Amino acid sequence: MANLAAVVGIGQTKYTTKRGDVSIAGLVREAAANALQDAGLDWDDIEAVIIGKAPDMFEGVIMPESYLTDALGCNGKPMLRVHTAGSVGGSTALVAASHVQSGTFKRVLTVAFEKQSESNAMWALSTPQPFSVHLNAGAGGYFAPIIREYMRRSEAPYDVGIKVAVKDRLHGARNPLAHLQKPDITMQEVEDSFMLWDPLRFLEACPSSDGACAMVIASEDLAEQSPKPPAWIRGVAMRSEPTMYAGRDEVSPQAGRDCAADVYQQAGITDPRRDLDCAEVYVPFSWYEPMWLENLGFAPEGEGWKLTMEGATSLDEGGDIPWNPSGGVLCSNPIGASGMIRFAEAARQVRGDAGAHQVEGAKLALGHAYGGGAQFFSMWVVGSEKS
Amino acid sequence: MSEEREMITGIEAPIYLQYTFTAGSAPARFLSQVKKGVLTGQRCPGCHNVYCPPRGSCAACGLPTEEEVVLSDKATVQSFTIVAIPIPNNPIEPPYIIANLVPDGSNISFIHLMSECVNEEVHIGQRVQALWKPEEEWDYAMDNIRYFKPIDEPDVPVDRIGTMPVTGWED
Amino acid sequence: MQQIAIVAYQQTDCVSWAGATNEVELIMPVLRRVFDQVGLANAQDVDFVCSGSCDYLQGAAFAFVAGVDALGAVPPIKESHVEMDAAWALYESMLKIRMGHAKSALVYGFGKSSPGELPIVLSQQLDPYYLAPQWVDTISLAAMQARLMLDQGLITERDMAEVVARSRSNALNNPHAQLSGDISVDELLAQETYVSPLRKSDCPPVSDGASAVIICTVEQAVEWGVPYAIISGIDHRIESHNLAMRDLTDSVSTRQAAQVAGMADGHVDVAELYAPFSHQEIILTRALGLGEDTQVNPSGGVLAGNLMMASGLSRIGEVFNRITSGEARRGIAHATSGPCLQHNLVTVVESA
C-alpha cells in the first residue's frame, strides 16, 4: 500500500572533533547542499524538510528547527523535527520517507546533525537529577554491565570487542569522511588502551564528532529521472519498549528483534546473512557488534561473536557480510546524525557509490539505529532494484 | 586603525536556568520511606511485579503502581562494571564498581555503587548489603545509601536473580 | 487522499502547578480516559503511537522516554516522538496511516512548564549565536509584535482586551480551563501593563497538563462504532527565524497552510486558534479571513490555559468535540511554534 520511494541524493560533512569554521547552521547547510548536488537538484526542488538530532540539551538550542529553517531553504515549506533519542538519525529518515511513501509529497530533504564541540553531551546524558544518586555513568557506564552479561551468557573470548574495534577503524581508514583515521591500528594497541568501564577500553568506544548527514528522498517517478542510481526503500520499521520492566532482556531487546523481523518481512528477507550484502549497524561500543549480530538474526543466540572472530563482517578479510564498511559509529559519532549516517551509508552501497569502502556488487543493505536504554530501534532496507 | 584583527570564531554563552524540581507522587512516597532508612517497592496490579525505585507505573502494563512493599536492603548483583572515571563531588576513588542491584523482594534492578570489595572478585549473583550514611545525614535521596558491600551469603543462580523474596534466602 | 478520522480526545485540567506529578503520572490518567472513550485497553490496541514534548520545559533530557512507561509498551510497539507540539505528532501519525503502515494511532502531548521560568527558558529557542545570548524572552518578543500593530493602527488596546474578555467568558464552558470568568473590557484596560504594551491578561498562563487524541481510518472508526469526525486536510508551513525579515503583523504561513489544507473548500463554523497572546488571535483571524460567522476559540483558547506541547493537539480535539456534538459541521484547528507565530499548522475537520 505504501508508495515506492528512493534515496536520490546523499550528502555528508567530514566528521571531525571540531568544525570551528562553521556555525550549526553552516554545518547542516553543508550536508544539505552536498545532498542536493549529489541529486542534481536545487533548493526549490524540495517540498519539505525533516530534521532530527539528539536532545536539545546537548548544544543548548531548544527546538532548533526554528533557527535552522533559513539555512535549509525551508521558509514557506513544512518543517518537522523528530526526536527519538539515539535512534533519531534513523527515525528521522523513516519519517522523511513516510512523507513520500504516503503520497503526500514527491521530494523531501532530511538532515540529521550534532555539533558536539559546541555541546556537552556527557553532562546532558547524566544531568544530576534531584533525589537520585549521581553516578555520572554516561552511556558507557550504562552499557558496560549489559555487555558483561552478554559475555557471561555467550562465553565469548575476551578479545571479541577488540577485534571489532580494529575492524571498524580499518574500514574507516578507507572512508575519507570518517573522523578516526587509524590505518595502523592493531589488536595490541586496543588491548593496551585505558580501561574506562570494564570491559570497555578507550579504543573500544566511539569518538565525539561534529557532523551532519543529509538525504533527498523522492517518489518513484522522480527517482527514475535522477542522474545517479536511486537506492530504493524496500522496508521501514520502528519499535520501542520501556527502559525498565521485570523480565526485560537487555542483552537482546525484544524491540530490536521485532523491528528486524518487520523490516525483513517487508523486504522479502528470510536469512539476513545470506540475503543482505552488507549492513550499517549502530555499534557505538565494540561488543555491540556480536550482540546485534544475534539480535538482528545474522547469527544464532550466543554465536554472534563467532562471525566477528572468523572475519565474516570484515571487508578487509573478505567477509561475506561486511558490517559497517564506512567505519561505523566507532569511527564517527555526531550523535544525532549517527543513525542517519548508517541509513545513508547503506544507501551508498546499493547505489555503488561508496568509493574505497564499497562492498563489491552490493544490491541489498540494512541500515540500523538504536537509542535510549537500547529501547528505541529504527531500521530500513534499501536496494538497487525496486523489488 | 590596524587592519590586522583576530577573527572571532566563537563565543561562550553559558546558559543558567533554574528549575524547581518536584518528585512525582510515586517517587515521593518512595523517598519519604528512604528518609526513614527503609527501601520500598511498588507492585503492579496487573503483572504483580515489584518495582524499585518506583516511577509511577508498571512500564510493561501501563498501569499505576499503588501497593507499597517494604524491601530488604540486601540485594543481588545482576550486573556491574568497573569504572575509571571519577564522579564529581563524590569521594569514591576510581576504579570503582557501578552495579545493577536487585533488592530482595523487587523484580527489577537499580543502579548504585559497590565498595569495600575486591573489584576483580565482584561477580554476577553476588550478595550485597547497603551501607547507610549516619542517620542524622538521611534525606529524601537514594544516596542515603553510600554504597553496597559484599556479604557472606551463597551466590544467587543467574536464573533466580530478580525473583528473591523479601526475606532473602529463607523461603 | 485516504480519509482519516478522529475518534477520541481527552485533556487534563490546565493547572498552574502539577506538583508531585512526574511525566508518567501526568500522562497516564489522560491516556486511560482516551482509551476508555473508544473501549481500548492500552497502546497494544492501536497500531502507532506518537507524542510531542519538550525536555527543556522540565529541565531534564529524555523526558519523553519516561512517557513510554505510561503506554503498556510490552510487547514492543511502533512509537515515535517529535520535540514539538503534539499537533505535529498527529501530522506524523497521519503519514503513517496514509502509507498503510497503521490503521490507528494514539497521539499525545504533555508539558510541565511550572518547574522553570517558561518565557526565559524559551529564549533559548532562538539563534544560539546572535539572539539566545541576549536572553530575549517570548513575552518581550510578543510585546514588540503588539507594539508594531498598535503603532501601525492595526489594532487598539481595546481590541486586545476584547479578545481576553471573550476568552475568559467562553472558558466558563470549558471544565479544563485555568482562567475563566466574566470580566469587562474596561476592567481589563484598567490593569497595569506587565511587559508593555501587554497586560498580564494579554499573556497566556503557565499551565501543566497533557492531552491525547486517537485517529484512525474511517473503516476502523466504523468498526469501533464510535462517533467520529473527518480530517479533510492538514498542512503546516514555517517562516524565517529572522524576525526582521517577516511581517510580524500578518501570518503568511498560517494562510498558506490553510490554503493547502483546503480551508476554503467549505464554510468554517468554528476555529480553534493557538494564539498565546491576545493580539495574535487578531493576527490569525485576519490572516485566515475569518468572518463574523465563524466562532473563534469557543473553548477559551490558550489564553485560558496553555499546555505547552499539548495545546496544539487540544485545539484539534476541541473542534472534534464541537463537530461530534453537532454544534458545528466544519472547523479548523491551528497550532503554532517558534517566536511570534513562526511556524503554523492548520487542520480542517468536518463532520462524517
Side-chain angles (χ1 to χ4, degrees):
Chain A
M1 239 189 100
N3 295 351
L4 192 57
V7 178
V8 297
I10 297 171
Q12 303 183 60
T13 59
K14 157 89 178 112
Y15 305 110
T16 176
T17 311
K18 182 176 160 82
R19 281 294 303 270
D21 59 320
V22 286
S23 62
I24 296 172
L27 186 70
V28 305
R29 187 174 175 88
E30 189 177 298
N34 288 346
L36 287 173
Q37 187 182 48
D38 190 47
L41 296 169
D42 201 357
W43 298 98
D44 288 344
D45 296 316
I46 299 298
E47 297 174 285
V49 180
I50 297 93
I51 70 171
K53 71 169 297 295
D56 294 348
M57 278 194 170
F58 282 21
E59 290 87 350
V61 184
I62 301 178
M63 298 166 73
E65 71 278 6
S66 178
Y67 150 62
L68 292 170
T69 172
D70 299 89
L72 291 171
C74 195
N75 297 345
K77 301 175 189 172
M79 162 73 88
L80 200 73
R81 184 282 179 86
V82 178
H83 176 33
T84 60
S87 67
V88 66
S91 329
T92 304
L94 295 184
V95 174
S98 74
H99 280 64
V100 177
Q101 292 168 309
S102 60
T104 314
F105 294 100
K106 291 176 96 47
R107 197 156 45 200
V108 302
L109 170 71
T110 183
V111 189
F113 70 97
E114 210 67 57
K115 199 148 197 269
Q116 307 233 175
S117 66
E118 285 175 36
S119 81
N120 192 336
M122 189 76 186
W123 168 82
L125 286 171
S126 356
T127 25
Q129 280 297 303
F131 313 119
S132 313
V133 190
H134 180 41
L135 294 171
N136 200 33
Y142 178 86
F143 291 119
I146 299 174
I147 289 169
R148 183 176 293 277
E149 171 60 14
Y150 171 73
M151 291 165 81
R152 187 198 66 78
R153 286 187 201 179
S154 64
E155 297 179 341
Y158 83 99
D159 55 349
V160 175
I162 296 171
K163 173 121 189 183
V164 174
V166 170
K167 171 195 68 102
D168 279 1
R169 273 51 177 277
L170 290 177
H171 285 175
R174 296 165 172 245
N175 178 2
L177 296 179
H179 176 177
L180 294 186
Q181 292 289 336
K182 290 182 167 304
D184 302 321
I185 193 169
T186 61
M187 299 278 285
Q188 195 61 54
E189 187 187 344
V190 177
E191 186 167 347
D192 291 343
S193 67
F194 191 60
M195 184 68 86
L196 285 172
W197 309 279
D198 194 314
L200 288 171
R201 299 167 181 77
F202 176 70
L203 282 176
E204 293 181 73
C206 48
S208 168
S209 321
D210 280 358
C213 177
M215 291 189 282
V216 178
I217 297 177
S219 60
E220 184 177 359
D221 52 324
L222 289 180
E224 279 167 348
Q225 296 167 29
S226 74
K228 289 168 72 168
W232 298 99
I233 299 169
R234 304 271 295 272
V236 290
M238 0 183 10
R239 288 293 188 284
S240 304
E241 67 182 37
T243 328
M244 284 214 133
Y245 58 91
R248 179 175 187 224
D249 184 348
E250 293 186 303
V251 171
S252 183
Q254 189 67 44
R257 285 185 266 167
D258 290 355
C259 192
D262 187 357
V263 85
Y264 293 159
Q265 190 262 321
Q266 292 172 49
I269 291 170
T270 48
D271 179 343
R273 181 177 180 181
R274 196 197 58 208
D275 298 337
L276 288 163
D277 296 306
C278 58
E280 284 280 337
V281 180
Y282 204 116
V283 174
F285 299 104
S286 59
W287 280 90
Y288 268 87
E289 178 174 290
M291 290 161 71
W292 288 158
L293 279 164
E294 295 173 29
N295 186 255
L296 297 172
F298 286 74
E301 198 179 310
E303 300 191 16
W305 62 271
K306 294 182 186 168
L307 263 69
T308 302
M309 294 314 266
E310 67 194 35
T313 56
S314 163
L315 250 184
D316 298 288
E317 289 184 55
D320 61 289
I321 185 64
W323 267 37
N324 294 323
S326 66
V329 180
L330 281 172
C331 282
S332 314
N333 189 25
I335 294 180
S338 284
M340 190 173 287
I341 299 171
R342 307 281 69 70
F343 279 43
E345 283 287 341
R348 283 182 80 185
Q349 291 289 340
V350 305
R351 297 173 89 203
D353 196 36
H357 62 276
Q358 177 71 49
V359 174
E360 205 62 43
K363 293 167 98 52
L364 203 64
L366 170 73
H368 160 285
Y370 84 96
Q375 65 195 120
F376 302 118
F377 292 85
S378 54
M379 304 178 196
W380 81 2
V381 172
V382 285
S384 54
E385 310 299 318
K386 292 186 191 182
S387 61
Chain B
M1 180 118 64
S2 167
E3 291 298 314
E4 303 265 323
R5 272 182 286 188
E6 258 191 55
M7 287 291 289
I8 296 172
T9 57
I11 56 164
E12 273 195 33
I15 300 176
Y16 299 107
L17 290 170
Q18 206 160 344
Y19 292 84
T20 304
F21 182 88
T22 318
S25 170
R29 296 202 303 278
F30 169 78
L31 291 166
S32 305
Q33 293 285 47
V34 162
K35 186 158 174 22
K36 297 187 229 163
V38 178
L39 263 188
T40 54
Q42 287 170 16
R43 192 190 300 279
C44 171
C47 62
H48 308 294
N49 282 305
V50 175
Y51 283 78
C52 174
R55 280 138 35 130
S57 76
C58 165
C61 304
L63 296 170
T65 53
E66 305 281 355
E67 184 195 332
E68 194 171 85
V69 176
V70 175
L71 305 173
S72 161
D73 68 351
K74 288 190 194 171
T76 312
V77 175
Q78 187 181 63
S79 194
F80 67 97
T81 179
I82 307 172
V83 185
I85 304 172
I87 304 174
N89 301 322
N90 191 313
I92 202 164
E93 293 270 324
Y96 55 85
I97 303 267
I98 284 182
N100 290 317
L101 303 167
V102 188
D104 293 350
S106 164
N107 298 105
I108 64 163
S109 62
F110 57 76
I111 199 168
H112 213 304
L113 293 167
M114 272 177 65
S115 197
E116 285 186 56
C117 55
V118 179
N119 289 350
E120 290 65 38
E121 286 173 14
V122 174
H123 54 278
I124 293 171
Q126 188 173 13
R127 297 285 292 154
V128 296
Q129 184 156 27
L131 186 96
W132 294 77
K133 285 181 179 166
E135 207 175 314
E136 53 277 12
E137 290 178 40
W138 288 354
D139 201 352
Y140 297 100
M142 264 302 260
D143 63 9
N144 288 354
I145 295 174
R146 196 161 266 145
Y147 50 76
F148 283 76
K149 61 183 211 253
I151 51 175
D152 193 11
E153 275 186 22
D155 286 354
V156 177
V158 171
D159 54 354
R160 283 213 60 194
I161 300 176
T163 66
M164 296 283 283
V166 184
T167 48
W169 277 112
E170 314 147 49
D171 268 297
Chain C
M1 271 311 155
Q2 176 183 44
Q3 294 223 306
I4 295 184
I6 307 173
V7 289
Y9 158 62
Q10 294 288 336
Q11 192 198 278
T12 62
D13 292 344
C14 297
V15 293
S16 61
W17 183 63
T21 316
N22 63 18
E23 295 84 4
V24 173
E25 292 162 345
L26 199 59
I27 298 165
M28 261 194 318
V30 80
L31 292 188
R32 182 73 270 136
R33 283 167 36 215
V34 89
F35 288 134
D36 286 347
Q37 193 174 347
V38 177
L40 307 179
N42 60 21
Q44 299 295 326
D45 294 337
V46 291
D47 295 336
F48 183 61
V49 178
C50 196
S51 62
S53 68
C54 173
D55 290 342
Y56 262 96
L57 298 179
Q58 283 109 275
F62 305 112
F64 75 94
V65 176
V68 176
D69 288 354
L71 300 170
V74 179
I77 54 173
K78 288 187 199 172
E79 181 262 346
S80 184
H81 171 262
V82 292
E83 192 88 350
M84 305 174 79
D85 188 293
W88 278 271
L90 185 136
Y91 186 84
E92 181 181 330
S93 305
M94 286 190 63
L95 299 178
K96 219 25 154 237
I97 296 177
R98 277 190 186 154
M99 67 185 267
H101 278 215
K103 292 212 206 41
S104 59
L106 165 71
V107 182
Y108 66 95
F110 65 97
K112 204 176 164 196
S113 302
S114 58
E117 289 179 78
L118 184 63
I120 297 179
V121 169
L122 291 176
S123 72
Q124 300 308 296
Q125 189 181 18
L126 300 169
D127 180 316
Y129 304 93
Y130 300 113
L131 297 176
Q134 298 183 59
W135 291 86
V136 188
D137 63 280
T138 43
I139 298 186
S140 299
L141 289 175
M144 289 196 283
Q145 183 185 39
R147 170 59 57 203
L148 273 173
M149 294 193 71
L150 287 165
D151 285 2
Q152 287 181 34
L154 295 169
I155 54 170
T156 63
E157 286 181 47
R158 178 160 287 269
D159 294 331
M160 291 158 64
E162 274 169 12
V163 170
V164 178
R166 240 188 346 262
S167 156
R168 300 283 176 94
S169 159
N170 286 347
L172 285 166
N173 296 318
N174 182 348
H176 303 305
Q178 191 171 332
L179 301 177
S180 63
D182 280 312
I183 184 164
S184 74
V185 171
D186 289 319
E187 280 173 87
L188 288 166
L189 288 174
Q191 292 169 355
E192 275 186 33
T193 56
Y194 169 53
V195 178
S196 111
L198 299 176
R199 292 173 170 79
K200 200 112 213 286
S201 48
D202 293 311
C203 307
V206 171
S207 318
D208 292 343
S211 111
V213 161
I214 296 181
I215 60 171
C216 58
T217 60
V218 170
E219 292 74 37
Q220 180 67 79
V222 168
E223 206 182 293
W224 278 334
V226 289
Y228 63 94
I230 306 277
I231 300 176
S232 62
I234 185 169
D235 188 66
H236 63 106
R237 303 279 149 172
I238 192 169
E239 298 178 43
S240 173
H241 186 65
N242 190 330
L243 293 170
M245 286 184 58
R246 294 165 44 202
D247 177 2
L248 294 176
T249 66
D250 187 11
S251 187
V252 169
S253 52
T254 303
R255 186 163 47 247
Q256 198 184 359
Q259 192 256 316
V260 175
M263 182 186 87
D265 292 347
H267 188 261
V268 180
D269 300 335
V270 62
E272 283 281 335
L273 307 176
Y274 197 138
F277 298 92
S278 54
H279 64 282
Q280 291 179 344
E281 187 181 290
I282 302 173
I283 293 174
L284 292 166
T285 310
R286 290 182 187 170
L288 291 168
L290 297 175
E292 296 286 315
D293 52 343
T294 299
Q295 216 198 352
V296 173
N297 287 336
S299 66
V302 295
L303 280 171
N306 183 24
L307 301 179
M308 292 295 292
M309 305 302 124
S311 274
L313 185 68
S314 289
R315 306 275 67 67
I316 297 172
E318 292 292 332
V319 173
F320 158 78
N321 273 357
R322 278 160 187 79
I323 290 177
T324 49
S325 71
E327 278 170 60
R329 293 193 44 90
R330 192 169 180 275
I332 63 159
H334 159 267
T336 194
S337 178
C340 296
L341 305 176
Q342 182 189 355
H343 187 180
N344 297 284
L345 183 147
V346 173
T347 312
V348 181
V349 188
E350 304 185 340
S351 56

